[in-house]
Amino acid sequence: MTTNSSTFAAGQTSLIDPKIAMGWMHTARFLTTAAQLDQLPKVDVPEIAFVGRSNAGKSTSINTLTQQKQLAFASKKPGRTQHINLFALGKQGVTDAVLADLPGYGYAAVSHSDKERWQRVMLNYLLQRESLTAVVLLCDPRLGLTELDEALLHALRPRVEKGLKFLVLLTKADKLTRSEQAKILSITKLNAAGGEVRMFSALKKQGVNEVAQLLWHWSHPEGLPPVLEAVPTPRTQG
């Protein structure tokens, strides 16, 4: 199976211009933070959650996609950040989607009680958050899908069957040769149970445009919103 970008949006006959998709991602701004699900505000726009093991490159990937160096906070002590951070997307003061940055999981230095608490919060979020439209699972391709990753995908399965979209993002692709990338891509697709799978490198900017396009289409299933269609053409003075 090829990784041509024209295949990643099922049923999509044409893709948004990557410049528009990247420009849209660049509008990301901090919305709120919460330690519990009931502390999150209710939103009526698509919400895309970024999840993954600590050290999978989640914060770096978000910052690369949004072209902002410090939008997503990368703790110097992996696994210590235990809050859900929401970021709003949309131009001209219009929020048309929300990104949710979930804390990394699986880090050994975190206490057992903290792990259990966060696992409950994450499970409740994945199963109950009404605005959740898509999940991006970040994975270090050198490790592949771990038991924790597979457990997360299993928990998502009921919602995926009802239309929830998900993407397995294989980060740090620059650390692999092309043949290694092709091998892990093929293996992950077999294990992803129908989800999208993409190689990604923040360093080499591999896959950045394609992922931005995918997220844009997931957030705008009916195409260009009026705010983009109605932008007037600048007049030249003379």
Side-chain angles (χ1 to χ4, degrees), residues 220-232:
H220 306 88
E222 298 182 359
L224 286 169
V227 68
L228 288 179
E229 294 178 332
V231 174

Side-chain angles (χ1 to χ4, degrees), residues 9 12 14 16 20-21 23-25 27 45-48 89-91 94-98 133 165 212-228:
Q12 194 73 43
S14 62
I16 191 71
I20 293 179
W24 173 71
M25 292 294 300
T27 66
V45 296
E47 185 166 310
I48 300 173
L89 287 167
K91 295 182 178 181
V94 177
T95 298
D96 53 18
V98 167
T133 301
K165 302 178 184 302
Q213 287 174 300
L214 176 58
L215 300 186
W216 191 96
H217 282 289
W218 281 354
S219 301
H220 306 88
E222 298 182 359
L224 286 169
V227 68
L228 288 179

Side-chain angles (χ1 to χ4, degrees), residues 21-56:
M22 290 299 293
W24 173 71
M25 292 294 300
H26 188 54
T27 66
R29 63 268 184 193
F30 178 76
L31 182 61
T32 190
T33 186
Q36 298 290 343
L37 184 61
D38 59 8
Q39 296 172 356
L40 290 174
K42 183 177 180 180
V43 299
D44 57 3
V45 296
E47 185 166 310
I48 300 173
F50 281 69
V51 301
R53 286 177 57 87
S54 299
N55 290 335

